[in-house]
Amino acid sequence: MKITDVEVVVTCPGRNFVTVRVSTDEGVTGVGDATLNGRELAVVAYLREHLVPQLVGRDPLRTEDTWQYLYRGASWRRGPVTMTAIAGVDTALWDIKGKVAGLPVYQLLGGRSREAVTVYGHASGATVEEAVASAASYVDRGYRAVRVQSAVPGLDSTYGIGGSSAADARSYEPADAALPTENVWDTEAYLAHAPTLFEAVRRELGPAPRLLHDVHHRLTGNEAARLGKELEPYHLTWMEDPVPAELQDAFRLIRQHTTTPVATGEVFSSIYDCELLIRERLIDYIRTTVVHAGGITHLRRIFDLAALYDVRSGSHGATDLSPVCLAAALHVDTAIPNFGLQEYMPHTPETDAVFPHDYWFEDGLLHVGESPGLGVDIDLDEAATYPYRPASLPVNRLRDGTMFHW
Ligand code: GCO
Ligand code: MG
């Protein structure tokens, strides 16, 4: 069996997605997500200029060898662009392998370790009251775990408050130009506010629902330690990305001061970004996922390392990861022994129409389908109706104008 063609498809059914579609001489095709939000075309160029020419003629079933070839074959290794491109190819090859075997991919990863995948949804509000009501509506719809974010008093826009302010709503939609919107950040205002949010959510919802919160890389180690301590009474499942991913030493400081569990890793692209955090048990959940961490082949390696140290998976699953990534993530989630939680934000109907899939959501759980391969495809005609539109994630500044982490 041979790879005959590799297409790189860019489509924008509300936001941009990059998809790798591999064809073979036996007519079997496979798809992989290669979307890197705000830097999509860098991955497209990496794929088209550098990887695609090396793939035609190869045996698509040699997933491990192809992964090693693409990874080791580049002297300049790792990094989000490279690893997202490799992920797109690797995922498509696993899809093909499943179709050839006549089995859903989770069977090739060891088979079912659970009946379904527990997800967390995104509650948010412009006020604490709105955020509490939003969280309650998730619980009413059967979600067992909810991430809660609310606007910070005095700040016009805050990460994760989808749609409640014009600026933030725009940041999640393609802009007319590639120029980012600018947000303003105030750490003290945030630190004073966040515990009051969770006090209110727990008071209203009681002890049962699992609660999560995304700090989005904005604190120092010491500030995060303070937040973690102040959140302890509300028993969060995790405090996410408390510090920028570059500051790994800070996780030691956080660990020494608080029992609030920590999750990180959505921006990591390889096992080398998280092996210290895992080995020293500085985190509780590792948030790497298929599209940004080198595909199924590499993600499985990260999760196997994590399993040795009681670190559970908590894969990233925002809507800028396509249904192809979500489908692939669900196969991994279903098979691994150390699954923790899966992030889930439903895609728009337009996106679901471009990427028909057989996974489904019910009662707080996502169910992987039984079709051979990944159970997801790209409708090329539908995709062609949504051309690429330049878009950027926001940037963040302190009140005095200093550039800050977003
Ligand atoms: C999350 C993430 C996202 C990212 C987004 C960036 O936890 O879901 O932090 O909201 O910011 O995926 O592209
Ligand atoms: Mg996050």
Side-chain angles (χ1 to χ4, degrees):
M1 198 172 181
K2 281 195 174 14
I3 295 173
T4 49
D5 189 24
V6 182
E7 290 156 90
V8 183
V9 184
V10 186
T11 179
C12 185
R15 67 190 322 151
N16 293 309
F17 295 110
V18 177
T19 308
V20 175
R21 184 171 180 275
V22 177
S23 305
T24 61
D25 57 353
E26 295 185 15
V28 183
T29 60
V31 288
D33 184 17
T35 308
L36 188 59
N37 195 356
R39 294 292 182 270
E40 295 87 355
L41 299 187
V43 181
V44 172
Y46 193 93
L47 281 160
R48 286 193 182 140
E49 304 299 323
H50 305 290
L51 300 195
V52 172
Q54 302 181 41
L55 291 167
V56 175
R58 294 181 70 86
D59 176 352
L61 299 183
R62 293 179 62 165
T63 40
E64 183 64 45
D65 184 64
T66 300
W67 194 94
Q68 299 295 339
Y69 186 85
L70 299 180
Y71 180 82
R72 291 174 202 275
S75 191
W76 315 103
R77 292 178 191 174
R78 306 195 279 144
V81 174
T82 302
M83 296 303 277
T84 301
I86 293 177
V89 174
D90 181 76
T91 309
L93 297 189
W94 276 96
D95 191 21
I96 290 172
K97 197 193 292 289
K99 288 177 181 169
V100 170
L103 292 169
V105 166
Y106 77 80
Q107 293 288 12
L108 308 178
L109 300 173
R112 226 174 239 291
S113 288
R114 57 198 48 79
E115 298 313 315
V117 168
T118 306
V119 303
Y120 70 90
H122 280 206
S124 67
T127 61
V128 167
E129 293 67 35
E130 259 184 51
V132 170
S134 168
S137 82
Y138 276 90
V139 174
D140 290 346
R141 281 177 279 152
Y143 282 80
R144 297 126 207 247
V146 191
R147 183 187 98 159
V148 192
Q149 310 289 132
S150 94
V152 175
L155 296 184
D156 279 349
S157 53
T158 307
Y159 163 78
I161 318 303
S164 63
S165 82
D168 205 70
R170 262 204 315 277
S171 72
Y172 284 85
E173 297 299 328
D176 291 333
L179 291 180
T181 48
E182 299 213 354
N183 294 351
V184 175
W185 179 249
D186 181 332
T187 298
E188 269 311 317
Y190 167 74
L191 284 175
H193 175 70
T196 68
L197 169 64
F198 283 92
E199 204 252 312
V201 177
R202 262 302 169 228
R203 190 173 353 102
E204 210 56 44
L205 301 187
R210 300 175 67 182
L211 301 178
L212 300 78
H213 181 64
D214 192 347
V215 181
H216 222 259
H217 330 270
R218 290 176 185 196
L219 300 178
T220 65
N222 197 44
E223 289 161 351
R226 166 180 155 192
L227 179 63
K229 277 169 91 163
E230 293 185 4
L231 291 176
E232 278 173 19
Y234 316 117
H235 295 149
L236 264 60
T237 290
W238 79 47
M239 168 171 78
E240 177 175 332
D241 290 333
V243 294
E246 298 93 318
L247 296 180
Q248 300 218 338
D249 276 354
F251 287 92
R252 289 204 186 94
L253 189 66
I254 298 169
R255 210 40 151 192
Q256 283 158 14
H257 288 282
T258 178
T259 55
T260 292
V262 175
T264 199
E266 65 180 49
V267 299
F268 292 173
S269 38
S270 89
I271 199 165
Y272 302 105
D273 296 325
C274 50
E275 63 92 22
L276 176 127
L277 299 178
I278 291 171
R279 250 189 321 103
E280 294 196 16
R281 293 184 166 89
L282 299 178
I283 57 173
D284 301 274
Y285 294 88
I286 177 70
R287 285 190 33 80
T288 41
T289 192
V290 177
V291 59
H292 299 138
I296 292 174
T297 296
H298 196 63
L299 186 67
R300 181 66 204 248
R301 207 145 274 156
I302 294 174
F303 287 166
D304 280 344
L305 175 72
L308 299 179
Y309 295 93
D310 289 331
V311 174
R312 283 169 283 185
S313 73
S315 284
H316 187 201
T319 44
D320 53 312
L321 283 58
S322 92
V324 177
C325 176
L326 183 57
L330 293 177
H331 285 274
V332 177
D333 293 341
T334 299
I336 57 171
N338 54 329
F339 169 74
L341 269 180
Q342 170 67 50
E343 181 177 14
Y344 176 51
M345 292 176 80
H347 288 102
T348 60
E350 292 78 16
T351 300
D352 283 336
V354 172
F355 300 100
H357 52 260
D358 68 356
Y359 61 78
W360 77 97
F361 173 83
E362 198 179 307
D363 199 23
L365 305 170
L366 273 171
H367 298 259
V368 74
E370 289 297 328
S371 319
L374 295 174
V376 63
D377 208 344
I378 183 164
D379 180 328
L380 293 175
D381 295 331
E382 196 68 25
T385 63
Y386 301 107
Y388 169 78
R389 290 166 61 193
S392 254
L393 286 165
V395 297
N396 217 4
R397 291 186 187 275
L398 301 181
R399 284 193 191 281
D400 69 358
T402 307
M403 269 302 293
F404 198 60
H405 317 286
W406 177 69

